[in-house]
Amino acid sequence: MLTPDEAEKAILDHMAPFLREDCPLEAAHGRVLRADVRADRDLPPFDRVTMDGYAVRTAVIAAGTRTFRIEGTQAAGMRALKLSPVEHACVEVMTGAVLPEGADAVVPFEQTTRDGDVVTLAAGVAPPAGFSIHRRRSDHAAGEVVVPAGRRISGREIAVAASVGASTLTVSAQPKIAVVVTGDELVEVDDAVGPHQIRRSNDHAVRAALIAAGFPRVERFHLRDLPSEIEHRLWHILAEYDAVLLTGGVSKGKFDFMPAALAAQGVREVFHGVAQRPGKPFWFGVTSHHKPVFALPGNPVSAYTCLHRYVLPALAHASGIVAPAPRLVALATPVNFAPPLAYLLPVRLGSGPHAELLATPDPSNTSGDFAGLIGTDGFVELPADRTAFPIGTVARYFAWV
């Protein structure tokens, strides 16, 4: 049986990249960037004034000039004025304006006194060259990458793309995802429920998490424990969707038809079972067209945990997202459990006296206790190579979306 890390690697090794497509900038929020955005010109494209004041030559100040005559006003959006060669020349400038030609510093208004067109510097004011100036090309040169591929696009990336004229971005196509629950005991939320039945929750939870993670094209399905129905509907689902998530029917029971049904549809099993709790029966395979199929355990906590541990990272990988460094936290209380299974333990996050992230274990009552996850922030993964984890043990952390 695979360890969680081995299962994660096996999945990523079999995830084919999603297709690329071009997307208008105004529709790009939340998409995954697949091609670098480069500066179309120097940034900033000119020497930019950063304070309201007067543009001067520092050399004449150093030579003793303290009084200047205003030759004009330079506002943002105006073409650059040219400072005349006379020693006492200056130009009134506004924040964001192009620095007038010949000037090399800006004296802020509050460091001067003004009488008509005559400006006098306050005692001791002697700005260095470059003062209150944002130099051309000091941020980025033309052609430099300003937004690297592999990022999910937020307002920050959109602002930068807009500033360099990138009206269209190359992004990952959004995959169509099917979430399929199985079992005769399941009924929809608003249906009448018998004493022998339970309401569907896994597909609602999985769909909501997928959307929150940036995968909005999700549809839900319910298959009863009838081999003929599973065979017929599963064929259509596998043909139509880019990724398929099944919950239930993957254990060893008499009515756990999914592994055999998937094999009959030509889905190749990559692995079945991970040495972890919850979620030991987790199954993964690929179709002949390289579409991923994830079969999650039917217990709600198991399904939700496996979704975050394996499925969401796999979909992000296929979208081209550069994987972040593992997030680490320290245990706030000791934990003891019996191997040989890794423990995916729900926790609440807090901080310690040195601003370190602390994880307080908050396990659910059972793997069917979805309500037990309310109030938790995510889970830590404790390996199966030991039984005792004292306070301060550093563990890998996975956040719920």
Side-chain angles (χ1 to χ4, degrees), residues 9-16 268 270 284 286 290 292:
K9 183 179 186 306
I11 293 170
L12 297 184
D13 286 346
H14 286 84
M15 291 296 296
R268 180 172 65 87
V270 176
F284 172 72
V286 290
H290 308 291

Side-chain angles (χ1 to χ4, degrees), residues 36-43 137 139-148 164:
D36 295 338
V37 176
R38 296 180 179 272
D40 64 332
R41 56 179 181 162
D42 293 338
L43 296 176
R137 199 183 303 166
D139 292 342
H140 298 280
E144 273 188 21
V145 173
V146 289
V147 184
V164 300

Side-chain angles (χ1 to χ4, degrees), residues 2-5 274-278 305 309-310 327-347 358-363 378-398:
L2 300 182
T3 67
D5 284 345
V274 182
Q276 63 184 23
R277 65 178 176 114
T305 302
R309 178 62 180 87
Y310 304 106
R327 191 175 180 188
L328 303 177
V329 298
L331 291 180
T333 61
V335 175
N336 295 278
F337 71 93
L341 302 179
Y343 192 9
L344 309 183
L345 173 65
V347 296
L358 297 179
T360 300
D362 191 4
F379 62 92
V380 293
E381 182 179 307
L382 301 178
D385 58 359
R386 50 194 164 126
T387 60
F389 295 83
I391 291 176
T393 297
V394 175
R396 188 176 178 187
Y397 170 76
F398 298 83

